């Protein structure tokens, strides 16, 4: 039985498609579905007939906005595939997807090579340790060059690219590839279809042998078994090469590079063969582990492990005597920290929810099952709400289409109906064996708009719609401004917010007024103060409050924050002699963190500073943790008023691609927006300008750029941090 389960898991691949906007991710996905027989008609992005871009906004805009899961079968393997967005505004969708994937295919444009968002998603995959293979797409385009694209991968992403294909033909004459492992030619007809296998063309044979030799040498340098065979035989067999490429891919020591043209349906079968051959199965990745300590990483689950246990105990108050499953789960939670869950269908159930979506069929919760088996009607422990819930239905997802399943096992990516409180990042586990898995990270929003219903009678409906949006997309934050009373929707970019508001208008028919987007500023310390004494004394009958502290405040050095001195906060104590007990030191730190919410210049959050508690004094009766927390909060606020403060604004790296005759106007417009040009180049007949621009200056830039370039210019942007803002931006 165990061997049968292992065989099943070894034939599963959970992978994502990653790329920059317009590199061809969705077209690659559509061709994979077509090649595997999952669909019988090739979907086209420009026609709005794709399976994965099923949302009306995706089809209208011609881009992927929401990560879509599909499944297909190839060569006896089950491939669970997630087509991820390529626009920076939807990077959080990529982050949540990468958290649950075992591998990925990175798609690159053969003309543009590595583009800004290609680099961003590559770094995201690096953080999650996701093995990748690369697919250089669009080799049929004018200016396409595999070697140039591979060089940009090597120079900008710094992997070791191992190219296993040699293109047959160039640009419009691209008809196939030479498989350097098996030294065979694969060609496709004009309509694509199944590859025709043949001998390597005579005019390419010498070049193919040279590249095969380079591939063997590169693999032998990095793989001990391959090196041994290479030294003995001065060559490598196809089997040894394939085995070595598999290990190098899975360890991240190298990246296999393939090429093709997804639009013309050329190169898809070899890509599927590479997915099966090189990317890991659930058995090849380490077991997931319960979160250590439970507190620091549980922002998405509303508290730490101790809070979870306290809350779970609280749910059982007032119940009748007898065995209560929720209390039993709470009692076991203390032992779940650090527990490993292997990819084993017979192990206790554990799954991570990575996406929530409201559909006409009900509320869908997308799960990656890491261990165990779940069936319809089973009870599960949901870590976010700290309660037992029941699985209504289990669905195999094909984008917006669903097929009902009887069960889901370790290694599966499925959707379930019936969970009322699960959110993206929640852990589902067996009630008798609870565990909390690390949730995906959620980026802080940087752009905000004020939204309000056009009529007062729709205010409640708008509030419900916004709450549902934030539930489905954790990178959207809804809050009420305490000063203006406005409802503020914050997100990752202007397009992100446009899509969210349009979704409300389309799904509910609500008329919504939207104000100008606002960015989130920060304040930081340019020059600190030392020896700042603060005494908190309060006496109004009964027990009083007394706390005296001495604080030093200074800016953080760049090397303490990974090169970004504008981020972070550290606290330390140099108090000696027990003048301030340790529990009061912790209270002072908590108070200082409270004070960071509003800075003295414009009321913006404060960051990028170190606070040192150097001395203090206590009272034998009136000192308490509350008194010292208050002293920390008020003392740091007073100290900040004595510091030289700087307001920081978010900046982004903008890459603008325009015709060469429009470069002058684009540069002038960037300068007017306080942009600083960092690079310029000519690629494929177009000028590519890279600049650092304050985010506040980018609102409306897309329309302006189209106007200046007669609709031929495009741009992309990615956040790069914060920079000092001019004096005009220092007010709230």
């Amino acid at each position: 039985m165990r061997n049968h389960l292992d065989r099943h898991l070894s034939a599963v691949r959970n992978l994502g498609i990653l790329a920059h906007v317009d590199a061809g991710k969705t077209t690659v996905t559509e061709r994979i579905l077509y090649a595997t027989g999952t669909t019988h008609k090739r979907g086209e992005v420009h026609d709005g007939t794709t399976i994965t871009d099923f949302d009306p906004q995706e089809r209208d805009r011609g881009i992927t906005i929401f990560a879509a899961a599909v499944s297909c079968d190839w060569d006896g393997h089950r491939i669970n595939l997630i087509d991820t967005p390529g626009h920076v505004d939807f990077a959080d969708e990529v982050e949540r997807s990468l958290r649950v994937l075992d591998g990925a295919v990175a798609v690159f444009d053969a003309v543009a090579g590595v583009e800004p968002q290609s680099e961003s998603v590559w770094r995201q995959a690096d953080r999650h340790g996701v093995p990748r293979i690369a697919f250089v797409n669009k080799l049929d385009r004018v200016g396409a060059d595999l070697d140039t694209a591979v060089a940009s991968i090597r120079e900008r992403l710094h992997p070791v690219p191992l190219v296993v294909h040699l293109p047959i033909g160039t640009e419009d004459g691209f008809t196939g590839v030479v498989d350097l492992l098996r030294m065979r030619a694969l060609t496709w007809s004009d309509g694509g279809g199944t590859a025709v296998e043949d001998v390597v063309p005579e005019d390419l044979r010498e070049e193919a042998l040279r590249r095969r030799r380079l591939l063997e040498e590169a693999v032998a340098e990095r793989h001990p078994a391959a090196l041994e065979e290479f030294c003995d035989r001065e060559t490598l067999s196809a089997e040894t090469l394939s085995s070595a490429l598999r290990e190098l891919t899975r360890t991240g020591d190298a990246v296999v590079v393939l090429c093709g043209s997804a639009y013309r349906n050329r190169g898809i079968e070899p890509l599927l063969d590479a997915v099966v051959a090189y990317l890991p199965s659930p058995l090849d990745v380490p077991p997931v582990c319960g979160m250590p300590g439970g507190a620091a990483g549980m922002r998405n689950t509303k508290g730490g492990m101790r809070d979870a246990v306290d809350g779970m105990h609280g749910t059982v108050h007032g119940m009748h005597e007898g065995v209560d499953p929720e209390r039993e789960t709470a009692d076991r939670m203390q032992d779940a920290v650090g527990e490993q869950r292997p990819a084993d269908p017979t192990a206790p159930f554990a799954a991570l929810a990575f996406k929530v979506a409201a559909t006409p069929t009900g509320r869908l919760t997308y799960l990656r099952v890491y261990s165990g088996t779940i069936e319809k009607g089973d009870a599960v422990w949901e870590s976010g709400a700290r309660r037992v819930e029941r699985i209504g239905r289990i669905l195999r997802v094909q984008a917006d289409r669903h097929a009902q399943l009887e069960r889901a096992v370790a290694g599966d990516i499925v959707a379930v109906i019936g969970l009322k409180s699960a959110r993206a990042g929640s852990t589902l586990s067996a009630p008798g064996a609870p565990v909390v898995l690390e949730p995906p990270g959620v980026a802080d929003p940087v752009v905000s708009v004020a939204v309000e219903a056009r009529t007062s009678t729709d205010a409640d409906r708008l509030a419900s719609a916004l709450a549902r949006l934030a539930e489905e997309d954790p990178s959207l934050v809804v809050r009420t401004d305490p000063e203006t009373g406005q409802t503020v929707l914050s997100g990752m970019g202007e397009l992100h917010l446009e899509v969210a508001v349009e979704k409300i208008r389309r799904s509910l028919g609500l008329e919504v007024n939207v104000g100008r987007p606002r960015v989130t500023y920060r304040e930081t310390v340019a020059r600190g103060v030392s020896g700042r004494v603060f005494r908190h004394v309060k006496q109004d009958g009964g027990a009083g409050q007394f706390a005296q502290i001495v604080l030093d405040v200074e800016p953080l050095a760049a090397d303490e924050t990974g090169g970004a001195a504008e981020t972070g906060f550290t606290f330390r104590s140099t108090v000696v002699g027990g003048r301030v007990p340790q529990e009061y030191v912790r209270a002072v730190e908590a108070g200082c963190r409270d004070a960071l919410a509003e800075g003295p210049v414009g009321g913006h959050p404060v960051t990028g500073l170190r606070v040192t508690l150097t001395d203090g004094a206590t009272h034998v009766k009136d000192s308490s943790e509350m008194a010292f927390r208050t002293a920390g909060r008020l003392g740091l606020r007073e100290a900040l008023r004595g510091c030289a403060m700087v307001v920081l604004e978010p900046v982004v790296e903008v890459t603008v691609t325009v015709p060469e005759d429009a470069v002058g106007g684009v540069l002038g417009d960037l300068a007017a927006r306080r942009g600083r040009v960092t690079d310029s180049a000519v690629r494929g007949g177009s000028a590519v300008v890279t600049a650092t621009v304050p985010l506040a200056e980018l609102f409306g830039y897309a329309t302006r750029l189209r106007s200046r370039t007669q609709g031929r210019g495009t741009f992309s942007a990615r956040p790069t941090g914060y920079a000092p803002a001019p004096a005009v931006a220092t007010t709230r």
Side-chain angles (χ1 to χ4, degrees):
M1 178 64 179
R2 176 66 193 174
N3 290 338
H4 169 73
L5 294 174
D6 285 348
R7 283 197 301 272
H8 166 76
L9 287 171
S10 66
V12 173
R13 299 291 183 272
N14 294 315
L15 66 133
I17 307 293
L18 312 175
H20 185 87
V21 177
D22 289 336
K25 296 181 311 301
T26 300
T27 303
V28 168
T29 304
E30 292 296 321
R31 298 304 184 265
I32 287 176
L33 295 177
Y34 181 73
T36 57
T38 306
T39 59
H40 303 290
K41 183 179 179 181
R42 290 182 289 183
E44 304 292 355
V45 173
H46 56 272
D47 291 336
T49 57
T50 57
I51 299 295
T52 53
D53 284 355
F54 58 86
D55 187 272
Q57 288 201 72
E58 292 179 309
R59 294 183 171 178
D60 289 349
R61 298 173 186 268
I63 62 171
T64 300
I65 296 173
F66 309 106
V70 292
S71 296
C72 57
D73 294 302
W74 179 258
D75 193 22
H77 291 70
R78 163 67 62 171
I79 298 176
N80 298 317
L81 188 151
I82 297 180
D83 179 22
T84 65
H87 197 287
V88 66
D89 282 20
F90 309 104
D92 201 63
E93 288 270 332
V94 182
E95 185 75 16
R96 293 197 298 274
S97 299
L98 284 171
R99 173 64 181 83
V100 299
L101 294 173
D102 301 327
V105 175
V107 180
F108 300 93
D109 188 317
V111 178
V114 176
E115 298 172 271
Q117 191 60 13
S118 308
E119 188 172 350
S120 296
V121 295
W122 189 273
R123 301 303 179 208
Q124 285 178 284
D126 280 342
R127 290 199 306 272
H128 289 278
V130 175
R132 277 142 284 170
I133 59 178
F135 181 72
V136 179
N137 191 27
K138 301 187 178 183
L139 274 179
D140 59 318
R141 287 184 58 198
V142 174
D145 187 282
L146 175 62
D147 292 338
T148 302
V150 171
S152 71
I153 293 173
R154 181 186 296 109
E155 294 165 6
R156 297 192 62 178
L157 304 181
H158 310 296
V160 177
L162 300 176
V163 184
V164 298
H165 281 173
L166 170 64
I168 299 176
T170 60
E171 298 180 352
D172 194 54
F174 171 71
T175 58
V177 298
V178 175
D179 179 354
L180 298 178
L181 265 72
R182 294 167 180 82
M183 292 303 290
R184 60 179 182 173
L186 300 173
T187 57
W188 289 268
S189 63
D190 289 341
T194 305
V196 176
E197 186 174 337
D198 203 349
V199 297
V200 178
E202 193 61 36
D203 60 333
L204 290 177
R205 185 160 187 81
E206 184 178 344
E207 178 65 10
L209 289 171
R210 185 184 74 84
R211 293 191 180 227
R212 165 66 183 247
R213 183 70 175 182
L214 292 174
L215 175 63
E216 291 177 347
E217 292 174 353
V219 170
E221 286 179 10
R222 294 164 178 83
H223 193 275
L227 177 62
E228 185 176 346
E229 181 176 319
F230 189 78
C231 291
D232 290 342
R233 300 175 51 189
E234 296 187 356
T235 187
L236 294 177
S237 66
E239 292 73 19
T240 300
L241 257 181
S242 181
S243 176
L245 290 174
R246 180 186 305 114
E247 293 185 30
L248 292 172
T249 298
R250 294 177 183 179
T251 59
D253 293 326
V255 175
V256 173
V257 181
L258 305 94
C259 65
S261 168
Y263 178 70
R264 296 197 178 186
N265 206 24
R266 296 171 184 173
I268 300 303
E269 298 101 317
L271 175 61
L272 284 165
D273 290 338
V275 165
V276 169
Y278 307 132
L279 292 181
S281 73
L283 291 175
D284 298 318
V285 298
V288 294
C289 187
M291 290 175 56
M298 288 188 63
R299 290 182 295 272
N300 288 0
T301 54
K302 298 184 176 68
M305 186 72 75
R306 184 179 302 277
D307 294 336
V309 174
D310 292 343
M312 285 185 288
H313 279 300
T315 63
V316 301
H317 289 319
M319 288 186 174
H320 297 294
E321 292 185 2
V323 178
D324 177 66
E326 295 194 3
R327 186 173 189 109
E328 284 193 339
T329 303
D331 293 338
R332 292 189 177 96
M333 187 65 88
Q334 298 280 16
D335 301 323
V337 176
E339 180 183 343
Q340 290 189 341
R341 293 292 171 90
D344 182 355
T346 64
F349 174 71
L352 185 70
F354 65 95
K355 182 179 176 67
V356 174
T359 70
T361 58
R363 185 178 186 271
L364 290 184
T365 304
Y366 290 76
L367 305 179
R368 162 66 192 268
V369 182
Y370 284 101
S371 67
T373 301
I374 190 71
E375 296 185 356
K376 175 182 176 181
D378 281 356
V380 295
W381 178 260
E382 198 274 286
S383 66
R386 302 183 285 274
R387 57 183 284 186
V388 173
E389 294 209 59
R390 196 165 297 278
I391 301 293
R393 285 191 288 163
I394 304 174
L395 305 174
R396 175 79 66 196
V397 180
Q398 291 293 101
D400 60 339
R401 307 168 190 175
H402 314 114
Q404 192 154 328
L405 298 174
E406 292 300 318
R407 65 180 58 83
V409 301
D412 278 342
I413 292 179
V414 296
V416 298
I417 294 177
L419 303 181
K420 298 179 180 178
S421 56
R423 303 289 186 269
S426 294
T427 300
L428 302 179
S429 55
V435 70
V436 176
L437 305 179
E438 183 179 0
V442 179
D444 294 329
V446 295
V447 179
S448 301
V449 292
V451 294
E452 64 177 7
R454 190 158 298 178
T455 63
S456 58
T457 55
D458 287 335
D460 290 342
R461 292 176 63 204
L462 176 60
S464 298
L466 290 171
R468 187 164 61 250
L469 272 180
E471 177 183 315
E472 295 182 7
D473 185 352
S475 60
L476 288 172
V477 176
V478 181
R479 64 181 177 85
T480 300
D481 191 305
E483 294 187 4
T484 65
Q486 289 179 313
T487 299
V488 178
L489 178 63
S490 303
M492 303 307 299
E494 191 173 5
L495 179 59
H496 189 204
L497 297 180
E498 282 182 15
V499 167
V501 172
E502 186 63 22
K503 190 172 183 179
I504 293 176
R505 288 173 174 154
R506 292 193 183 198
S507 61
L508 297 178
L510 277 175
E511 292 297 326
V512 180
N513 293 326
V514 179
R516 178 179 170 82
R518 294 182 291 186
V519 300
T520 56
Y521 293 95
R522 297 286 187 267
E523 296 181 27
T524 192
V525 175
R527 185 180 67 252
V529 295
S530 60
R532 184 60 62 106
V533 180
F534 183 83
R535 174 178 291 190
H536 172 63
V537 181
K538 185 177 181 182
Q539 191 73 45
D540 53 3
Q545 293 186 25
F546 178 88
Q548 180 173 309
I549 57 175
V550 182
L551 299 178
D552 289 352
V553 180
E554 56 188 325
L556 277 179
D559 58 358
E560 296 179 82
T561 55
E566 73 277 359
T567 61
F569 166 76
T570 63
F571 179 90
R572 64 180 180 178
S573 170
T574 59
V575 177
V576 296
R579 291 179 58 82
V580 180
Q582 190 60 37
E583 61 268 24
Y584 293 168
V585 171
R586 289 193 294 268
V588 173
E589 179 180 358
C592 289
R593 291 186 181 276
D594 294 340
L596 299 178
E598 293 187 4
V601 178
H604 312 296
V606 182
T607 186
L609 72 161
R610 179 197 291 118
V611 176
T612 305
L613 178 65
T614 60
D615 200 0
T618 63
H619 187 277
V620 66
K621 291 184 179 180
D622 293 344
S623 290
S624 64
E625 291 186 25
M626 180 183 296
F628 273 88
R629 181 164 185 159
T630 303
R633 183 178 73 254
L634 300 179
L636 181 55
R637 285 182 179 176
E638 183 178 287
L640 290 175
R641 286 193 287 270
C643 296
M645 302 294 293
V646 175
V647 173
L648 304 172
E649 62 180 344
V651 295
V652 296
E653 182 184 77
V654 178
T655 301
V656 187
T657 304
V658 295
E660 291 187 70
D661 58 3
V663 171
V666 168
L667 292 176
D669 190 37
L670 288 173
R673 295 173 185 270
R674 299 190 283 125
R676 181 171 56 86
V677 176
T678 58
D679 189 26
S680 62
V682 177
R683 298 178 193 164
S686 297
V688 181
V689 178
T690 303
T692 301
V693 184
L695 182 61
E697 300 290 345
L698 275 185
F699 301 130
Y701 183 62
T703 303
R704 181 70 171 174
L705 180 64
R706 285 194 293 266
S707 173
R708 284 185 174 274
T709 61
Q710 290 78 48
R712 295 178 294 165
T714 62
F715 85 100
S716 62
R718 64 185 181 93
T720 58
Y722 285 80
V728 70
T730 61
T731 58
R732 213 172 184 180

